[in-house]
Amino acid sequence: MNQGRLRSRSGDIFMVAVLAANLVFCVASIVWMREDLKRERIDKETTLVATKIQDVLWGKITLFASVVRGDGEPPNGLGRISGGMQPSIVAGDLPAEWNFQRLRMGGGDSRRIFLGTPRETSNHEYALPLAELLPDRLGGKRYFVGTVSIGELAGYFKDLKRRGILCFLTDEKGNLLLGDSNEAMRKAAFSPAGKAHVFAEALANGWSAEVYLEKADVGIAFFPQAVVAIFFVFSTSMLVLLRYRYIRPLKVGFEKISDSLAAHGEMLPGRMQPHYVAGAVTSRLSRYKLEVEEERRKVEEDSARRSREMSQKYTDLLAHHRITKKMLQSRQYNEVFDTLRDGIAEGNGFQGTLIGKVSKDGYLLFQEELDPATGIPLRVPLWKPGFLLARIFWSGNNVFHPSPLDLPHMREEEDLVGSGPAYFIPLMRDIQVRCAEVKNCGDRSCPNFFSNNMKCWLHHLSSDQFLPDVDPEFFREPLLACLNCEVFPGAALAIVRSLPEGKAVSRENILPLSSLASEAALALEVVNLHESMKIMAITDGLTGLFNHREFYQALRRELVRARRYRHAISLLIIDVDDFKQYNDRFGHPAGDQALQHISEILRKCARTTDVIARYGGEEFSIILPESSPAGALMVAERIKTEIASFNFIQDITLDIKLTVSIGIYTSDGGGVTEDQMVSYADEAAYTAKKSGKNRVVVKAPS
């Protein structure tokens, strides 16, 4: 084993040496490549600068040559000429200080142009001396001499300097012809120069453009260097891969297997042989196989258990959906309560579920539980805070308690609550409107005005009302007022008890019950909306009496009953006298209040079996089943008297009275249609109005 480790260590040292050599080669290649790329960039910049200088100078030479007239004579009027020409002269010889050289232009040299050394003028501008030998017509030499401004070259050199490039124009001896002499002193700090000839073939002693780069390695191509670096990484990875995957001796593998087996309790002989290792591996794998089989068995059992749980959850979900659907399809409160109770008892296994419904007189009424002494259903008064159920109901929150009888309670509640854990669910309608929208309230200081939370009693009632030792009668009136409010959401209280024959209530299994309670709240609101829509469809919005359509349907039903049982039926048509003048005098709001007062008087004077309706406008109608003409006349006279004696506006000192004209028609056996009966009664009312108003007229049967 030690020999294998030593051999492995020697291989690692050799691998490190190879990788180091590979790294040195890669670094040297990159350095050489960078130097080559720098030189290439310097040559490129030098060529561009030389080309630029030569193009500018040729342009100036062409400009100068174009000044001389076609006949070989200087231009008329020497001096400054357009195009950057400086003052020019005609001389017999060339100035020696300007170092003129003959410019070989090619094409037979028909014109002899001389180029001087660039110089700096008195106004710190650069000028290029130029001369042309004029044709000999008088027996002597004449030269047209002038200078051309080359300030653009100086500007070009400054632009190159801002880019980190120094540029100079020198002669063949290295003398500075064009460029900043101060910068020429620090050119050694720049990279090695690039040099290119200018006018190499046009001048005997040619000029050169020297270029120095401050940062020659900036901007060089990155791709070739990246290729070399990638090659190094690839080659290194391949060497490491070959070493550790294919080249390492077999002993290293045996060593790792031996160490693993030793860690798992398998002891191998000192001199390791392959068959020993194979035997140990086989033994260990056999034991692992048994362990895996055991683990597989546990996994299968756990999977089966989870599958049963999922199946049960799916069944519970279906039951929840079925119960919710049935509750939402209910059209009465009792149907919702019964469905919820059956769903909790059968669908969730809580057999001891009770639901106490809120009665109009302020009790929780439990129909399933009877008082042993009286045999009547148990009732819990909601205005008595000593009752545990009353306090839970007014809290509006679901409550779970492992031992509710440990809380303050009354003796009558012990049979309802039970001795085990219990879960209490106040069933509240899920009202989706604000209190102000229902009650037409304008009190914006009310905490519930802008809220959809209908638990307004928590803001308006004192917390002292819900203490167990408070006088039960002291807060009875405000609590009953809340119960009778049209926006009060409380409808019932569900008690989920733990019974020996049922499932025990715990915090873990009550979550589905809360969900069902929420669905029940929505179902209760649906029932309430359905009831409200039914009432709105058959009643008049102002008076609360039956509307015109329901009046005709009720009259049709009563006529059918009258024909079937051979009894009489009477109809009263009541028309308010001079109601238009009343509206014109006191306004339409007062007229609406008067119609409401009249409807209350009609309810008070009519029987419980009579059907009272607002026929339209200021006309009312009353259907009197099984009523003779004499009985109908008595009712009509009582109505006429009550209305005539009622003061309709009580805020002023004067008595404001209204009267009515009433028409009566009675049918024996229902032998007329509803339209005929209405027509006869309306004709009688018209006769009463024509006869002086405030009268009752009976239409005789035809």
Side-chain angles (χ1 to χ4, degrees):
M1 188 177 298
N2 293 333
Q3 184 178 1
R5 289 196 180 98
L6 182 60
R7 188 176 301 174
S8 176
R9 183 175 300 174
S10 300
D12 292 337
I13 294 174
F14 176 76
M15 176 62 67
V16 170
V18 172
L19 294 178
N22 191 25
L23 177 61
V24 171
F25 172 76
C26 179
V27 172
S29 299
I30 292 177
V31 171
W32 173 81
M33 183 178 297
R34 289 178 62 86
E35 291 297 325
D36 185 66
L37 293 173
K38 286 165 60 177
R39 172 50 55 189
E40 181 180 351
R41 185 187 174 202
I42 292 172
D43 293 342
K44 180 179 178 181
E45 294 290 346
T46 303
T47 302
L48 292 175
V49 171
T51 302
K52 175 68 175 180
I53 294 174
Q54 193 160 303
D55 290 344
V56 172
L57 294 180
W58 275 116
K60 298 300 181 178
I61 293 170
T62 303
L63 174 64
F64 177 82
S66 66
V67 173
V68 181
R69 289 163 38 185
D71 55 0
E73 290 299 325
N76 294 328
L78 298 177
R80 182 177 296 273
I81 303 174
S82 62
M85 291 283 295
Q86 302 297 326
S88 56
I89 62 173
V90 176
D93 198 4
L94 296 174
E97 67 273 11
W98 287 0
N99 297 327
F100 278 101
Q101 298 184 63
R102 169 76 181 275
L103 187 65
R104 295 190 292 270
M105 302 178 65
D109 289 334
S110 60
R111 302 182 68 171
R112 299 178 182 180
I113 297 178
F114 297 86
L115 181 65
T117 303
R119 63 189 184 87
E120 187 175 3
T121 63
S122 58
N123 55 357
H124 301 290
E125 294 184 357
Y126 284 95
L128 178 66
L130 291 170
E132 183 175 0
L133 180 62
L134 299 177
D136 186 7
R137 295 184 180 180
L138 301 176
K141 293 183 178 181
R142 292 186 306 160
Y143 293 92
F144 178 65
V145 182
T147 58
V148 180
S149 174
I150 54 174
E152 54 265 51
L153 277 182
Y156 176 61
F157 285 0
K158 291 180 180 179
D159 291 340
L160 292 177
K161 180 182 175 182
R162 283 192 291 268
R163 292 168 46 198
I165 301 175
L166 293 182
C167 184
F168 307 99
L169 184 63
T170 62
D171 60 11
E172 62 179 359
K173 296 180 181 181
N175 297 321
L176 182 64
L177 301 180
L178 184 63
D180 191 350
S181 59
N182 295 327
E183 294 295 338
M185 302 299 295
R186 54 185 291 268
K187 62 184 180 180
F190 289 71
S191 298
K195 190 172 185 180
H197 293 289
V198 178
F199 293 142
E201 298 178 358
L203 295 176
N205 297 323
W207 296 346
S208 299
E210 295 183 3
V211 176
Y212 297 87
L213 273 67
E214 185 176 9
K215 296 180 180 180
D217 54 350
V218 176
I220 62 176
F222 175 75
F223 181 73
Q225 305 176 65
V227 170
V228 175
I230 292 173
F231 173 75
F232 167 72
V233 174
F234 176 75
S235 60
T236 302
S237 302
M238 292 300 297
L239 288 174
V240 173
L241 179 65
L242 291 174
R243 164 63 181 167
Y244 286 99
R245 191 173 181 88
Y246 301 105
I247 302 178
R248 291 191 70 176
L250 185 61
K251 290 292 186 178
V252 176
F254 286 157
E255 176 185 349
K256 290 185 176 296
I257 295 175
S258 176
D259 292 342
S260 298
L261 292 174
H264 288 80
E266 293 289 339
M267 302 303 297
L268 297 176
R271 186 176 180 182
M272 183 177 56
Q273 297 297 330
H275 64 278
Y276 289 149
V277 176
V281 170
T282 302
S283 175
R284 172 52 58 182
L285 290 179
S286 298
R287 288 196 292 272
Y288 278 163
K289 182 179 180 181
L290 296 177
E291 294 176 1
V292 168
E293 291 294 336
E294 179 66 20
E295 187 67 24
R296 181 183 300 172
R297 185 185 61 80
K298 293 180 180 179
V299 169
E300 290 177 352
E301 292 178 355
D302 185 67
S303 177
R305 179 181 58 80
R306 290 178 178 271
S307 178
R308 289 192 300 270
E309 291 178 355
M310 292 297 294
S311 177
Q312 183 61 39
K313 289 181 179 179
Y314 179 72
T315 303
D316 295 342
L317 182 62
L318 288 180
H320 183 278
H321 176 71
R322 184 177 64 255
I323 296 169
T324 300
K325 182 178 180 181
K326 188 174 181 180
M327 285 193 298
L328 292 176
Q329 291 176 343
S330 301
R331 291 297 175 262
Q332 295 182 358
Y333 289 115
N334 289 336
E335 292 181 8
V336 176
F337 296 145
D338 294 342
T339 303
L340 177 62
R341 184 186 62 250
D342 295 341
I344 296 176
E346 299 175 5
N348 294 274
F350 298 102
Q351 301 297 331
T353 302
L354 298 175
I355 294 183
K357 305 165 190 176
V358 178
S359 63
K360 293 184 178 181
D361 53 353
Y363 287 91
L364 279 177
L365 187 61
F366 294 88
Q367 296 286 354
E368 300 87 354
E369 294 292 321
L370 302 179
D371 189 347
T374 61
I376 61 175
L378 287 176
R379 299 194 306 170
V380 174
L382 290 175
W383 68 87
K384 293 185 177 181
F387 283 84
L388 172 64
L389 299 182
R391 297 197 303 274
I392 293 176
F393 175 82
W394 286 109
S395 71
N397 298 318
N398 299 347
V399 176
F400 169 80
H401 200 281
S403 181
L405 293 183
D406 293 343
L407 301 174
H409 64 281
M410 303 298 286
R411 184 185 58 80
E412 296 89 334
E413 298 178 296
E414 295 180 356
D415 292 337
L416 294 173
V417 174
S419 58
Y423 187 47
F424 305 92
I425 310 173
L427 299 177
M428 304 284 180
R429 289 186 293 124
D430 187 11
I431 299 179
Q432 300 298 323
V433 296
R434 297 181 302 175
C435 175
E437 295 175 358
V438 177
K439 302 187 70 174
N440 194 23
C441 174
D443 184 10
R444 294 179 178 269
S445 63
C446 175
N448 211 54
F449 185 83
F450 291 105
S451 173
N452 291 332
N453 181 12
M454 289 294 104
K455 298 179 182 179
C456 52
W457 67 87
L458 298 178
H459 302 289
H460 293 288
L461 300 180
S462 172
S463 59
D464 296 338
Q465 300 175 6
F466 307 106
L467 298 178
D469 53 351
V470 173
D471 182 9
E473 298 298 329
F474 187 75
F475 297 108
R476 180 174 183 175
E477 184 175 349
L479 292 178
L480 292 182
C482 281
L483 291 176
N484 294 321
C485 178
E486 57 266 32
V487 295
F488 183 74
L493 177 67
I495 306 174
V496 184
R497 304 175 298 176
S498 298
L499 297 181
E501 62 274 13
K503 185 164 59 173
V505 180
S506 63
R507 294 186 183 275
E508 291 75 19
N509 57 19
I510 61 175
L511 294 179
L513 306 184
S514 301
S515 178
L516 277 178
S518 300
E519 301 294 345
L522 181 59
L524 291 173
E525 180 60 15
V526 170
V527 171
N528 182 66
L529 292 176
H530 181 262
E531 293 292 333
S532 299
M533 290 178 63
K534 284 174 58 179
I535 294 174
M536 291 170 61
I538 64 175
T539 58
D540 174 60
L542 177 64
T543 62
L545 303 177
F546 288 123
N547 56 21
H548 185 274
R549 179 178 58 183
E550 180 62 19
F551 162 72
Y552 268 94
Q553 291 181 355
L555 181 58
R556 190 177 299 114
R557 289 194 301 267
E558 293 300 331
L559 285 173
V560 170
R561 290 180 64 250
R563 296 188 195 106
R564 180 182 302 167
Y565 299 108
R566 302 288 181 178
H567 60 67
I569 178 173
S570 298
L571 174 65
L572 274 63
I573 295 294
I574 305 167
D575 190 358
V576 182
D577 298 328
D578 301 322
F579 190 69
K580 183 179 183 306
Q581 289 80 359
Y582 185 88
N583 274 339
D584 294 340
R585 181 182 178 186
F586 300 105
H588 287 281
D592 292 342
Q593 291 182 357
L595 294 177
Q596 291 173 345
H597 291 314
I598 291 174
S599 64
E600 291 297 328
I601 293 173
L602 296 180
R603 290 191 185 95
K604 183 175 66 173
C605 295
R607 302 172 302 179
T608 56
T609 57
D610 296 339
V611 179
I612 310 171
R614 184 182 179 189
Y615 189 79
E618 68 273 15
E619 293 183 345
F620 298 87
S621 59
I622 302 178
I623 304 173
L624 291 83
E626 302 183 20
S627 177
S628 63
L633 181 60
M634 291 178 58
V635 174
E637 289 291 344
R638 184 163 62 249
I639 292 173
K640 179 176 72 70
T641 303
E642 289 288 339
I643 293 176
S645 61
F646 187 80
N647 183 16
F648 284 89
I649 301 181
Q650 300 177 2
D651 295 336
I652 60 179
T653 56
L654 298 177
D655 288 342
I656 305 302
K657 306 293 184 179
L658 283 173
T659 60
V660 293
S661 298
I662 304 176
I664 303 174
Y665 179 76
T666 302
S667 173
D668 258 341
V672 295
T673 65
E674 56 269 21
D675 290 334
Q676 290 174 334
M677 193 164 187
V678 171
S679 177
Y680 293 150
D682 187 61
E683 182 181 346
Y686 180 76
T687 302
K689 191 174 288 289
K690 285 294 186 180
S691 301
K693 305 176 183 177
N694 195 22
R695 297 175 184 275
V696 178
V697 174
V698 180
K699 172 71 175 179
S702 57

